[in-house]
Amino acid sequence: MNIKSAKFVISNQNAKDCPKSNLPEYAFIGRSNVGKSSLLNTLTGANKKVAIVSQTPGRTQLINMFKCSDHKGDLCMFVDLPGNGFAKMSKAQQVYVFLIT
């Protein structure tokens, strides 16, 4: 897969409200502060920073979707999911983040 462009599609709290697509979806899930957003940026190209990367754990608190394309057309959707574990958020927020992922 040779990604030429990655375009932000949507940020959403609820998976049910995310757009449906016929493209393959690749979800990035894991603990907070392990580099999910950084990995997404690396996969989309060194000079394309599509996902915001923070030094503070737990900044990704929504489902973020990106459409990836090459010169022939759309390839896939990357889905950056909220992390869990080190995030500085209330227990109720952590439970909600766990439930939507």
Side-chain angles (χ1 to χ4, degrees):
M1 184 181 320
N2 191 9
I3 297 170
K4 296 292 182 189
S5 70
K7 180 183 171 190
F8 173 76
V9 177
I10 194 168
S11 283
N12 212 318
Q13 282 188 336
N14 194 331
K16 290 184 254 176
D17 295 331
C18 290
K20 304 292 184 226
S21 173
N22 292 331
L23 296 172
E25 290 185 4
Y26 299 95
F28 297 80
I29 188 169
R31 293 179 67 85
S32 296
N33 208 34
V34 296
K36 295 180 298 292
S37 298
S38 296
L39 175 62
L40 192 146
N41 284 336
T42 299
L43 293 173
T44 57
N47 60 349
K48 302 176 191 115
K49 301 295 182 201
V50 295
I52 296 172
V53 177
S54 173
Q55 296 299 316
T56 306
R59 289 294 180 197
T60 303
Q61 295 185 3
L62 298 172
I63 300 167
N64 299 302
M65 299 183 76
F66 305 90
K67 185 183 290 185
C68 301
S69 305
D70 66 4
H71 65 281
K72 294 180 184 176
D74 295 336
L75 294 170
C76 66
M77 298 285 281
F78 282 167
V79 184
D80 193 9
L81 296 170
N84 59 1
F86 298 113
K88 292 182 181 178
M89 62 176 79
S90 72
K91 290 288 184 190
Q93 285 176 306
Q94 289 181 19
V95 168
Y96 178 74
V97 166
F98 177 76
L99 292 174
I100 65 171
T101 58

